[in-house]
C-alpha cells in the first residue's frame, strides 16, 4: 500500500485495532446455574449463582468467515470453481481458572447436562437446555465498541484439562473451552443484540 503522506497513513490507521480490547459474554443454559455443585463435596461446596458466574477470558478470536468451493471439471484438466456453502469452524476461548473452580464447574455441568440427558424427555425438549448465544465484541481505545459477533445456538464440545506442575510458579491456572455454533451475525452491539443474560464474561479490557 502507498500513502502520499504520514498524516494520511495516521488518519487511515487511527489508533489501530488492539487485540487486547475485547469482551466475551454469554448466559449459561437453564439448569446449569445453581445446579453445578459437586455432590461428593457435600453442602460446603460453593454453589454457582448469578453473582459468582463471572469469568475472565484471557484469549478468544474474532470468528472466521469461510465459504466452501465446488470444483467442476471442464477440459484439459481445467476446473471451474463455484462458491459453495458457508461453513462455521469451531470457536475456542481461554479462561483463567478462579480459585474455587466455579467457572470450570459451570462448563463441566453444561457438558454433563448434554451427555447425561435423555433427548426424548419432554423436560429436555427445548433448545434452552443445551444452547446459548455467545457474543464477542472488540473495542476502540476510547472504550466504544467497534464490532460485535453473535454466535447463535452455541454449545461446548470440549473443556480442556488443567495443567499442574511443581515447576509452574507465578502462573495462574487456565483452561480452554471449545464451542460449536449454528451461524453467526456481525455488526454493532445494537444490531446483533447483546442480551447478556445472568452472566457477563469479561475479556482483558483496560
Amino acid at each position: 500500500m502507498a500513502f502520499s503522506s504520514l498524516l494520511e497513513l495516521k488518519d487511515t490507521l487511527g489508533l489501530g485495532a488492539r487485540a487486547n480490547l475485547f469482551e466475551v459474554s454469554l448466559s449459561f443454559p437453564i439448569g446449569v446455574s445453581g445446579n453445578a455443585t459437586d455432590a461428593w463435596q457435600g453442602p460446603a461446596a460453593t454453589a454457582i449463582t448469578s453473582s459468582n458466574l463471572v469469568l475472565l477470558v484471557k484469549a478468544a478470536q474474532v470468528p472466521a468467515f469461510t465459504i466452501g468451493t465446488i470444483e467442476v471439471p471442464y477440459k484439459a484438466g481445467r476446473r471451474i470453481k463455484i462458491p459453495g456453502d458457508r461453513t462455521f469452524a469451531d470457536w475456542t476461548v481461554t479462561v483463567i481458572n478462579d480459585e474455587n473452580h466455579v467457572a470450570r464447574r459451570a462448563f463441566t455441568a453444561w457438558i454433563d447436562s448434554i451427555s447425561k440427558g435423555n433427548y426424548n424427555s419432554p423436560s429436555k425438549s427445548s433448545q434452552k437446555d443445551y444452547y446459548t448465544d455467545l457474543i464477542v465484541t472488540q473495542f476502540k481505545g476510547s472504550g466504544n465498541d467497534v464490532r460485535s459477533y453473535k454466535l447463535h445456538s452455541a454449545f461446548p464440545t470440549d473443556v480442556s484439562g488443567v495443567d499442574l506442575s511443581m515447576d509452574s510458579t507465578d502462573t495462574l491456572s487456565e483452561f480452554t473451552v471449545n464451542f460449536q455454533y449454528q451461524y453467526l451475525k456481525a455488526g454493532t452491539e445494537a444490531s446483533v443484540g447483546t442480551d447478556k443474560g445472568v452472566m457477563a464474561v469479561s475479556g482483558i479490557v483496560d
Side-chain angles (χ1 to χ4, degrees), residues 96-113:
I96 295 178
N97 205 10
D98 60 272
E99 189 172 21
N100 292 319
H101 291 235
V102 175
R104 183 175 174 80
R105 287 192 287 116
F107 281 113
T108 56
W110 190 352
I111 285 183
D112 283 344
S113 70

Side-chain angles (χ1 to χ4, degrees), residues 38-140:
D38 295 316
W40 59 271
Q41 288 185 336
T46 303
I48 295 177
T49 64
S50 59
S51 63
N52 63 10
L53 273 176
V54 178
L55 315 181
L56 179 60
V57 175
K58 177 182 177 181
Q61 311 89 35
V62 169
F65 287 73
T66 307
I67 191 167
T69 304
I70 303 170
E71 293 190 356
V72 181
Y74 180 46
K75 63 181 179 180
R78 295 182 59 189
R79 294 176 179 271
I80 299 173
K81 296 183 178 181
I82 300 175
D85 295 327
R86 178 79 178 273
T87 59
F88 301 95
D90 294 6
W91 192 73
T92 304
V93 294
T94 301
V95 181
I96 295 178
N97 205 10
D98 60 272
E99 189 172 21
N100 292 319
H101 291 235
V102 175
R104 183 175 174 80
R105 287 192 287 116
F107 281 113
T108 56
W110 190 352
I111 285 183
D112 283 344
S113 70
I114 298 173
S115 62
K116 294 180 180 179
N118 178 1
Y119 294 92
N120 294 321
S121 170
S123 63
K124 288 186 176 291
S125 61
S126 172
Q127 290 188 359
K128 294 180 180 179
D129 294 319
Y130 303 107
Y131 301 120
T132 193
D133 294 336
L134 300 171
I135 301 171
V136 56
T137 301
Q138 196 164 14
F139 297 92
K140 293 182 179 180

Side-chain angles (χ1 to χ4, degrees), residues 22-29 53 55 57 59-63 65 88-95 106-107 110 114 127 130-138 147-159 176-189 191-202:
F22 72 96
E23 180 184 72
V24 177
S25 61
L26 64 86
S27 296
F28 280 100
L53 273 176
L55 315 181
V57 175
Q61 311 89 35
V62 169
F65 287 73
F88 301 95
D90 294 6
W91 192 73
T92 304
V93 294
T94 301
V95 181
F107 281 113
W110 190 352
I114 298 173
Q127 290 188 359
Y130 303 107
Y131 301 120
T132 193
D133 294 336
L134 300 171
I135 301 171
V136 56
T137 301
Q138 196 164 14
R147 193 76 168 163
S148 290
Y149 303 85
K150 188 171 187 177
L151 284 59
H152 288 262
S153 298
F155 60 95
T157 57
D158 178 75
V159 178
T176 61
V177 182
N178 188 73
F179 289 93
Q180 293 277 357
Y181 59 99
Q182 310 303 328
Y183 65 97
L184 68 86
K185 183 178 181 181
T188 63
E189 283 192 334
S191 66
V192 302
T194 53
D195 180 10
K196 299 179 181 179
V198 299
M199 189 188 87
V201 185
S202 300

